[in-house]
Amino acid sequence: MAHHPQSSAASQPDLYRDTWVRYLGYANEVGESFRALVPKVVVWATYGVSTAYVTADAADKGQKAAEANRDGPGRRADITVAVVDTFVWQALASVAIPGFTINRLCAGSLYMMGRITRWPLPVRKWTTTAIGLAAIPVIIKPIDRSVDFLLDSSLRKFYGTQANKPDESETK
């Protein structure tokens, strides 16, 4: 799998993919896991954190593309591709698809527990939260691979490169 654009110092860790900062991309999944226990505004705030992470990563990859091609031909196109590819990939793989997946998993588990158990509502809500949190590490790689396939089959055909595709070991 292709690696994301690197800065001129290839050994330098990527702030958004190689450090604790990448965990900010998980904020909305955590928020969805706690949806049954916290006010909706808290859940929406976690989407704000994840979206800020996605936007910052895209801007960072655009900056790295600009530095890698200071005066070369196609500089503007390289920057645009880096920003768009990173933003779309991260928006789908880090925010939209996992947020929806955890939301539906939690809603379904809360509903089913209400139908098949006699557990008190607070126990069902905490169990739903635990199920959501436990599912986060399980859904990451399949979603990443699916988004890679989706973008490789669509958007990336328009700009004819996979050079900016995030390496799944370096995302989120």
Side-chain angles (χ1 to χ4, degrees), residues 126-144:
W126 277 104
T127 302
T128 293
T129 298
I131 290 169
L133 292 172
I136 294 169
V138 175
I139 68 170
I140 301 297
K141 287 199 185 272
I143 289 173
D144 288 357

Side-chain angles (χ1 to χ4, degrees), residues 2-3 5 17 58 61 74 76-90 92 147-166:
H3 292 304
R17 309 226 177 130
K61 298 313 168 278
R76 187 170 298 182
D78 289 348
I79 294 167
T80 301
V81 166
V83 171
V84 169
D85 192 75
T86 301
F87 187 85
V88 171
W89 192 94
Q90 287 280 21
L92 290 171
V147 173
D148 282 337
F149 177 78
L150 175 67
L151 293 186
D152 287 348
S153 302
S154 60
L155 184 63
R156 290 180 178 145
K157 288 182 183 271
F158 289 111
Y159 45 80
T161 182
Q162 293 185 8
N164 297 309
K165 181 166 72 172

